[in-house]
Amino acid sequence: QVQLVESGGGLVQAGGSLRLSCAASGRTFSTYRMGWFRQAPGKEREYVAGINRSGGGTYYADSVKGRFTISRDNAKNTVYLQMNSLKPEDTAVYYCAADPRITIATMRIPAGYEYWGQGTQVTVSS
């Protein structure tokens, strides 16, 4: 079992940057594939980015490709989301998620993840 705690959200102007962190408890962090999702008011939760167990494989939604970078530090039990060139449409609550069994084929589906953090608010002003 793993517990996830996100941090790093806040208010930023369009064009700015934020770095989100997701700290995980437990000693098996490196066995989990990790994902970042976001949910704006009135919208469904959507996939943002994913990373494999070693960090050697990263995957992105088209809407953030080239602007966001996901990474992980297994020694620190932490996954990061560096967000650059932020746009007002990036405004949402951002969640990290973990699952030991999820595959590349299903990693974009929220229901495939067993563990979730509480979320951190990101607001981008125009």
Side-chain angles (χ1 to χ4, degrees), residues 21-89:
S21 299
C22 174
S25 66
R27 293 174 289 182
T28 60
F29 176 73
S30 62
T31 66
Y32 290 81
R33 288 184 187 267
M34 303 295 295
W36 283 98
F37 290 78
R38 65 187 182 188
Q39 189 166 17
K43 295 188 176 181
E44 294 186 352
R45 192 166 297 189
E46 67 170 352
Y47 173 80
V48 175
I51 191 166
N52 69 1
R53 297 175 183 86
S54 68
T58 57
Y59 314 88
Y60 298 93
D62 289 342
S63 59
V64 306
K65 199 173 294 183
R67 300 188 297 123
F68 290 11
T69 302
I70 188 172
S71 61
R72 69 189 295 165
D73 186 337
N74 286 342
K76 295 183 178 180
N77 281 14
T78 302
V79 63
Y80 305 97
L81 186 68
Q82 177 67 44
M83 306 186 295
N84 299 328
S85 302
L86 282 161
K87 304 174 181 180
E89 51 263 44

Side-chain angles (χ1 to χ4, degrees), residues 96-118:
C96 69
D99 196 275
R101 293 170 299 274
I102 201 162
T103 66
I104 294 176
T106 59
M107 68 189 305
R108 297 173 183 258
I109 304 172
Y113 290 82
E114 184 172 0
Y115 303 106
W116 290 85
Q118 83 290 347

